[in-house]
Structures are given as C-alpha cells and as structure tokens.
Amino acid sequence: MEVFKTYLFFEGHDEGSPYLIDTISLEGQWRLVGSWLAPNTKGARVPEKLVRLTGLQFQEVQGQPFRFLLNNVLPKSVLDGGAQDGYVVATYQALAGGLEPDMKKRH
C-alpha cells in the first residue's frame, strides 16, 4: 500500500499549525488515515481510522513533500473517528477475522 501525505489545518486544535496526514487509496477513493494499527503478522501496517477525502475540497499538487492540499479546515474529532455531518468515517473492526472495513457515512 502506497502512502501519500495531505497538507491540512485542524479546526479548533492548534489552529494555524499545518499538519501532514497519511493518505491512502482504498476502494478507488482517497482516504486520510487518522491512525494505524500495529503491523499485522505479515509486517504490514493496517489503517485503523479513515476519513474519505473524496467529496471534500482538496487539490492535488506537485513539487511539494505532500500530494494533496485540503482547502478547508478539518475538525480534529473527525480524524479521531468521531461522527460529524459531511464526513465519511471508516474504521476497521476485527481485523483478525479478515473482515472488510466498516464504512459508515455520517450525515
């Protein structure tokens, strides 16, 4: 799994300080990775909390240490897995059982 970076600012958390957040493609959509689980038995990192980037205002950039720039601030609670209107949050539940991610849209 290839990991890219998204440059963004959080709303209500350390405002004015930019962050570089891991970003992956999953099921054909870009997703911010809020946290990673410990490496699995094969040594690969597995994303734990994800926020769908597709649908948010962002741009792809070149010549920077990041691939994406989020145009609006992001509530920190969303990246931590909290529900909030307008964001699609995904979490991995029971990875040992080989289950697919639990994708839940928050209206």
Side-chain angles (χ1 to χ4, degrees):
M1 162 184 335
E2 194 166 2
V3 179
F4 300 96
K5 296 289 185 187
T6 296
Y7 185 93
L8 59 80
F9 292 89
F10 287 119
E11 175 183 283
H13 175 80
D14 203 13
E15 290 188 30
S17 296
Y19 286 84
L20 291 176
I21 303 297
D22 288 345
T23 307
I24 62 171
S25 178
L26 178 67
E27 298 177 343
Q29 297 180 347
W30 293 109
R31 298 184 187 270
L32 301 170
V33 180
S35 62
W36 294 92
L37 293 172
N40 64 18
T41 56
K42 296 179 183 177
R45 292 189 311 166
V46 177
E48 178 182 30
K49 296 177 183 169
L50 300 158
V51 176
R52 191 171 74 189
L53 187 58
T54 308
L56 302 179
Q57 293 183 2
F58 71 94
Q59 52 190 308
E60 204 163 343
V61 297
Q62 295 180 2
Q64 298 293 328
F66 50 90
R67 181 167 178 175
F68 303 103
L69 170 65
L70 191 61
N71 295 337
N72 297 329
V73 295
L74 181 76
K76 178 78 166 77
S77 61
V78 170
L79 199 61
D80 292 337
Q84 186 156 335
D85 290 348
Y87 297 93
V88 179
V89 178
T91 58
Y92 273 71
Q93 313 270 337
L95 287 169
L99 298 176
E100 291 298 312
D102 174 26
M103 307 293 201
K104 294 186 178 175
K105 180 168 181 155
R106 308 297 185 197
H107 308 249

